[in-house]
Amino acid sequence: MTVYLNGEFLPESEAKISVLDRGFLFGDGVYEVVPVFGGRLFRLEQHLDRLERSLSAVRIDPPLDRAGWARMLEDLVARNPGDDRSVYLQVTRGVARRDHAFPPDVPPTVFAMVSPIKAPDPALFEQGVSAVTVPDTRWNRCDIKAITLLANILARQQAVEAGAAEAILVRGGFATEGAASNLFVVADGVIVTPPKDTSLLPGITRDLVVELAQQHGLPVMESAIPEASLRDAEEIWLTSSTKEILPVARLDERAVGEGRPGPVWRRMFDLYQDYKRKLRTGEHG
């Protein structure tokens, strides 16, 4: 694999980062994950918008401009040919002696790599997945795509140990999102997702699902989801750039709706796959 590190493309085995990097010492950095379908970066402009918001929120000056990010990512993808892939991009505050205060005049560390996207087991879309609810113990700026993910990791591990695919996080009596995904429910035939605020990450796939629903006349709204509404939902979905749209058939060992992927999910899944097909053929960006 060829990776990108601080202005260079080099073999993965040769990429080295200082033990004094603030990403290693503090988790002081942000990241993005951009899928690649048919050699095309998926909704790159939206991913770069979010990257810029995250960098601004943690007060790291962007080391590249928009055109520079696009050129670097496209070059990296070209150097790592394959089928569907994802690009992981990480920016940390840089290398400095350990001190909580920002170090002056330190260039950020920029790292990017490409990984294959493993095709989901078709059975997941026929049977749905299981999820568990977990208290949301994260900090109050979940809208920043920060590399500091320990609380998410612990929640996801709790799901794994319960035999579930994902943990749905609950804070103050409301479901916010998954440990590594955004959340949708269907109630009375209406698609509902929590509004974007500091309690959740503004997902790129989440936004696309809302757009597709609006374009195709499916009722959709942004509204807080009380835990009771989550448990009474007709359908529950989890979305992310790599999960796409996963239907949840069981929540905390109880059936969701009829215990299998529902008709609204099926319609949205088809619309999303059509969007991907058009992306591969260059019909849209």
Side-chain angles (χ1 to χ4, degrees):
M1 181 196 300
T2 296
V3 303
Y4 175 91
L5 179 61
N6 294 335
E8 293 186 84
F9 294 97
L10 66 166
E12 178 186 4
S13 60
E14 296 180 13
K16 310 295 181 186
I17 295 175
S18 170
V19 294
L20 296 181
D21 192 278
R22 288 176 63 93
F24 175 70
L25 294 176
F26 292 114
D28 185 2
V30 302
Y31 75 103
E32 274 296 324
V33 180
V34 186
V36 180
F37 301 123
R40 300 173 185 274
L41 290 154
F42 176 77
R43 292 173 77 85
L44 178 60
E45 290 303 312
Q46 290 88 340
H47 280 282
L48 293 180
D49 287 342
R50 187 170 64 182
L51 175 64
E52 290 180 354
R53 289 195 301 269
S54 294
L55 287 169
S56 176
V58 301
R59 296 167 60 186
I60 295 176
D61 291 333
L64 295 173
D65 61 17
R66 295 285 286 231
W69 286 124
R71 283 194 302 270
M72 182 273 284
L73 294 173
E74 290 166 357
D75 196 351
L76 183 63
V77 168
R79 292 168 185 261
N80 292 276
D83 296 324
D84 291 349
R85 289 154 285 162
S86 66
V87 178
Y88 177 86
L89 169 63
Q90 177 170 302
V91 184
T92 77
R93 202 173 304 278
V95 177
R97 288 289 164 184
R98 191 179 187 279
D99 183 3
H100 284 66
F102 294 173
D105 303 320
V106 171
T109 298
V110 181
F111 171 71
M113 64 179 177
V114 177
S115 301
I117 294 178
K118 184 179 178 181
D121 183 346
L124 297 180
F125 298 128
E126 296 301 323
Q127 302 169 7
V129 301
S130 296
V132 295
T133 53
V134 173
D136 190 349
T137 59
R138 302 170 301 166
W139 70 324
N140 291 325
R141 288 304 307 274
C142 297
D143 56 311
I144 301 171
K145 199 166 177 66
I147 62 175
T148 337
L149 291 172
L150 185 56
N152 302 68
I153 290 168
L154 292 173
R156 182 64 170 277
Q157 184 61 27
Q158 188 171 337
V160 169
E161 291 171 357
E166 180 64 301
I168 296 176
L169 307 175
V170 178
R171 179 183 299 190
F174 293 88
T176 53
E177 59 184 342
S181 57
N182 287 112
L183 173 67
F184 287 81
V185 302
V186 177
D188 296 325
V190 178
I191 303 166
V192 183
T193 192
K196 291 187 283 188
D197 58 23
T198 59
S199 70
L200 57 86
L201 184 72
I204 306 303
T205 302
R206 171 210 180 274
D207 290 351
L208 176 57
V209 168
V210 171
E211 289 175 23
L212 290 174
Q214 292 171 338
Q215 291 171 6
H216 294 273
L218 299 176
V220 60
M221 63 182 293
E222 294 185 346
S223 179
I225 300 174
E227 185 175 0
S229 298
L230 176 71
R231 299 191 184 282
D232 292 339
E234 298 159 11
E235 302 182 23
I236 299 174
W237 316 337
L238 301 168
T239 66
S240 74
S241 292
T242 53
K243 290 185 180 70
E244 299 187 355
I245 311 172
L246 272 183
V248 176
R250 298 188 65 80
L251 178 67
D252 292 334
E253 300 185 347
R254 293 180 54 193
V256 175
E258 297 184 359
R260 60 178 183 271
V264 184
W265 171 82
R266 174 59 62 185
R267 173 63 173 149
M268 182 56 64
F269 178 80
D270 290 344
L271 292 172
Y272 185 86
Q273 296 306 314
D274 186 59
Y275 183 94
K276 282 174 55 182
R277 179 190 61 77
K278 291 177 179 177
L279 178 65
R280 287 190 174 100
T281 58
E283 294 179 51
H284 55 60

